[in-house]
Amino acid sequence: MIEKVKKAIYRHEGKRDDEFSSFYFVVHEILVDRWNKSNTPLHCLAHSLNPSLSWLNETSNRQPPHQDNEITKERKIYLKRIFPNNEEFRAVQVEYGKFSGCLKSFSDSDSMSDRGKIDPKHWWLLYGSSTPLLQKLALKLLGQPSSSSCAERNWSTYSFVHSIKRNKMTPQRAEDLVFVHTNLRLLSSSPTYKEGGSKMWDVGGDHHDSFEDVGVLEVANLSLDETDMEAVIFTDDGLENEGNENIEVESIKKRVALIYFPF
């Protein structure tokens, strides 16, 4: 990846490979720092247990994890940390050898063909029974999300819903509002949001017959990410200011769940 970035920058700047580029120097430092941040024994072990990467095509310019010295060293460090007993460590090393080399039960044609076709966790559930220590470890590691961004967004939405002015809501009411608000954000980014049955849906509410001759509403052109829209909540009676404790969200929640995919 770094080599590709270098070629793109040098081609854009019209420099030769042996020339110095201050811009590439800065980019290179950022990429190396980012790599070192994720280059830990835990990440290397999870990378090694991904079945789609353990048997790469010979024409690929990437090395399988068991042939990479750096990954092998970091994987061994973490395995020793998990299995301090020498016998268990030796047993899990043997199991990894079977897995990485497609030996014995892993040499089955279905096992090999499914390595890059199905979810890694599902693959271990289907074909990892012959290596119980490695299977248990793989299911724990590969079942973890690679990023906390989804949780961060959910907490951010929850802090908006459960504010200082609205701090007496029940947990269920707060969860319903987070559900509605998050789905509205997802829907507003869809190109079909302003077409068909959802056209101006979040503006008119449930009790409109027609939008003919109503003019341009003030909030019709606002994005749901804007602060003006975030200060508005929707009730069965129309639009109200933030702070109303008696918000009926069930009808909105049902409508979002039925028309669009749930959060």
Side-chain angles (χ1 to χ4, degrees):
M1 181 192 69
I2 291 179
E3 290 298 324
K4 290 181 179 179
V5 170
K6 180 179 179 180
K7 289 180 180 179
I9 293 176
Y10 273 60
R11 183 171 58 251
H12 178 75
E13 295 182 342
K15 294 180 179 291
R16 299 192 307 271
D17 291 343
D18 57 345
E19 291 185 287
F20 176 78
S21 170
S22 58
F23 179 70
Y24 170 70
F25 177 79
V26 174
V27 172
H28 180 268
E29 291 295 317
I30 294 174
L31 293 176
V32 171
D33 289 342
R34 187 65 179 179
W35 166 255
N36 292 332
K37 182 179 179 180
S38 298
N39 186 27
T40 65
L42 178 63
H43 286 88
C44 290
L45 179 58
H47 176 74
S48 299
L49 294 177
N50 191 332
S52 64
L53 301 176
S54 61
W55 198 253
L56 294 171
N57 193 307
E58 294 181 359
T59 60
S60 174
N61 60 353
R62 301 176 61 186
Q63 284 186 323
H66 63 278
Q67 295 180 4
D68 189 290
N69 289 331
E70 183 180 10
I71 293 177
T72 299
K73 178 182 177 180
E74 298 297 321
R75 180 182 65 246
K76 185 177 179 181
I77 291 174
Y78 200 81
L79 286 176
K80 277 194 171 184
R81 187 182 304 171
I82 300 176
F83 302 100
N85 183 279
N86 289 334
E87 293 184 1
E88 288 186 344
F89 175 73
R90 191 177 300 109
V92 76
Q93 285 278 73
V94 172
E95 291 184 0
Y96 182 77
K98 295 177 183 179
F99 161 70
S100 60
C102 293
L103 305 176
K104 296 189 177 181
S105 61
F106 293 109
S107 63
D108 180 73
S109 59
D110 292 334
S111 170
M112 296 180 65
S113 63
D114 287 343
R115 284 191 174 223
K117 296 180 180 179
I118 62 177
D119 181 79
K121 188 171 67 172
H122 296 162
W123 187 91
W124 276 102
L125 287 170
L126 291 172
Y127 304 110
S129 57
S130 62
T131 54
L133 293 175
L134 208 61
Q135 183 191 46
K136 184 178 180 180
L137 185 59
L139 293 176
K140 286 183 178 180
L141 291 181
L142 300 179
Q144 297 294 325
S146 59
S147 172
S148 63
S149 59
C150 292
E152 294 286 351
R153 292 192 187 98
N154 186 69
W155 297 334
S156 177
T157 304
Y158 200 99
S159 64
F160 157 69
V161 169
H162 196 276
S163 62
I164 296 177
K165 293 182 179 180
R166 275 186 283 170
N167 58 2
K168 295 183 179 180
M169 289 185 294
T170 63
Q172 184 59 49
R173 176 59 59 81
E175 290 178 8
D176 290 342
L177 287 172
V178 170
F179 177 91
V180 172
H181 186 82
T182 302
N183 275 277
L184 285 174
R185 285 181 177 271
L186 292 174
L187 300 180
S188 65
S189 62
S190 172
T192 61
Y193 180 63
K194 295 184 179 180
E195 300 175 0
S198 63
K199 185 177 181 181
M200 297 182 70
W201 163 81
D202 61 327
V203 176
D206 288 328
H207 305 293
H208 68 272
D209 297 323
S210 173
F211 282 106
E212 296 180 0
D213 301 324
V214 296
V216 179
L217 299 179
E218 182 180 359
V219 295
N221 297 322
L222 288 179
S223 167
L224 290 174
D225 295 325
E226 296 187 32
T227 55
D228 291 341
M229 179 63 80
E230 289 186 345
V232 176
I233 58 175
F234 301 94
T235 70
D236 288 345
D237 298 327
L239 298 175
E240 295 184 8
N241 293 326
E242 181 183 5
N244 189 343
E245 301 293 337
N246 300 317
I247 307 169
E248 296 297 334
V249 298
E250 288 302 320
S251 61
I252 302 177
K253 180 179 178 182
K254 291 178 181 178
R255 187 160 67 249
V256 172
L258 289 175
I259 299 178
Y260 305 98
F261 54 89
F263 171 64

